[in-house]
Amino acid sequence: MGTLFSDTLMRLRKTAGFPTAYRFYHDNGGAPVLQLSYRKYLMMEQGRILPVIGRLQKLFFALRLPPKTPPANELVLAWLKTMAGEEAFKGIIEPVLSAKAEASGLSPLHKALERSLSENKSYVTPDQFMVILSSLETYKCNLTMNNDTGVWTAADIAKAVGIKKPAAEKSLKALAKAGLLKEVKKGFYKSRLAGTMVEYPNLSTLEPALRDKMKGYLKKLEESGTPEWASKGIIRADALDLRGLFPLMHMNIAAAQTYAVTKKTDKTAFFYIIGKIVRLWDF
């Protein structure tokens, strides 16, 4: 029999695009990342155990929930209510809480889009991501292959990405060994993830060196590109209240996936879609 926490955890896991507990656990890197066994995670979803409170942040990252946002608050409140019991929660804990889970602010359209996209997600494991980040050439090869359903050779990818053929060949072999590509016949590769919305590990779960490498790759890509459009604004807002905007921004960025294609046309190109909220100074 489930609990409020286990029911909330399963719902958020499915919303994030993980159809099963097994996929959620292993696609997020398993024990090294979540710091618990698969058996214990399964017992959480079955309502048999509650995680220690310090484990909740690991679950936030695995569920792709920024801490202190409404969905993350909802999981914390479900944990508190399950831990204390409904009656004790209302009588003891709820009166002293200053922050409660609130509506995510997503419109019905955004919620429908969220459900649609969650059914077409592919998650890259931390081990696979380490292979992708092994070199800028491998990163660019993976990015290109993930956005095309065709069959590629090292010569094809070298020309498309602008790298040398030996580097392309090395990258394709590494990506195939990691399970991200399929070698349909000797020297010919096809993406296993093309046509899906690819989700990478949360950067907060990675080693600092890997985070820096990823940021460096993105900076190089951005600097090499040509701006197509931008919109900016500066506002004064309460930092906690503003976190309610995060899920909405996330869905607006994710909505770009609805424009993604896997076949080349006269006007196709790669576009880097960026969304940022930057704290300037306290005021």
Side-chain angles (χ1 to χ4, degrees), residues 71-92:
N73 288 350
E74 182 184 7
L75 187 63
V76 173
L77 283 178
W79 185 90
L80 284 170
K81 289 179 180 179
T82 304
M83 180 271 296
E86 198 76 27
E87 185 176 342
F89 176 83
K90 287 183 178 180
I92 301 173

Side-chain angles (χ1 to χ4, degrees), residues 53-268:
I53 193 166
R55 197 85 71 210
L56 289 178
Q57 192 170 44
K58 298 289 184 183
L59 292 176
F60 292 161
F61 293 141
L63 292 165
R64 307 318 194 260
L65 302 177
K68 299 180 183 178
T69 56
N73 288 350
E74 182 184 7
L75 187 63
V76 173
L77 283 178
W79 185 90
L80 284 170
K81 289 179 180 179
T82 304
M83 180 271 296
E86 198 76 27
E87 185 176 342
F89 176 83
K90 287 183 178 180
I92 301 173
I93 299 176
E94 188 172 38
V96 299
L97 287 180
S98 59
K100 297 181 181 180
E102 300 172 356
S104 66
L106 296 182
S107 68
L109 175 62
H110 280 90
K111 289 180 179 178
L113 179 62
E114 184 179 49
R115 287 194 298 271
S116 176
L117 291 175
S118 70
E119 296 170 357
N120 192 38
K121 285 186 179 179
S122 295
Y123 281 87
V124 171
T125 69
D127 286 343
Q128 290 174 325
F129 200 42
M130 288 180 66
V131 174
I132 292 170
L133 296 180
S134 60
S135 70
L136 180 59
E137 291 85 359
T138 303
Y139 180 79
K140 292 173 74 173
C141 286
N142 177 73
L143 188 63
T144 303
M145 295 289 289
N146 279 354
N147 286 272
D148 192 275
T149 54
V151 176
W152 293 72
T153 65
D156 295 331
I157 204 76
K159 181 179 179 181
V161 176
I163 60 177
K164 295 182 179 180
K165 183 180 175 182
E169 188 170 357
K170 181 180 178 181
S171 295
L172 292 177
K173 288 181 178 179
L175 293 169
K177 185 177 180 180
L180 295 163
L181 304 181
K182 179 181 180 181
E183 189 172 16
V184 293
K185 61 180 180 179
K186 189 172 178 58
F188 290 80
Y189 299 86
K190 184 180 179 69
S191 172
R192 294 181 183 273
L193 308 182
T196 67
M197 182 177 177
V198 181
E199 287 273 0
Y200 296 98
N202 189 297
L203 290 181
S204 300
T205 66
L206 302 178
E207 293 293 327
L210 284 177
R211 290 202 299 269
D212 291 342
K213 186 178 284 190
M214 177 68 178
K215 290 175 182 177
Y217 291 169
L218 292 177
K219 183 178 180 180
K220 287 180 180 179
L221 290 180
E222 186 176 357
E223 290 175 344
S224 68
T226 303
E228 290 280 320
W229 178 86
S231 178
K232 299 179 181 179
I234 297 178
I235 64 169
R236 184 185 189 185
D238 183 279
L240 289 179
D241 288 344
L242 189 63
R243 284 181 171 268
L245 179 65
F246 291 6
L248 182 60
M249 285 192 64
H250 174 74
M251 282 311 304
N252 282 328
I253 297 297
Q257 184 67 27
T258 62
Y259 293 89
V261 296
T262 56
K263 299 291 183 181
K264 182 176 176 57
T265 72
D266 292 339
K267 296 185 181 297
T268 51

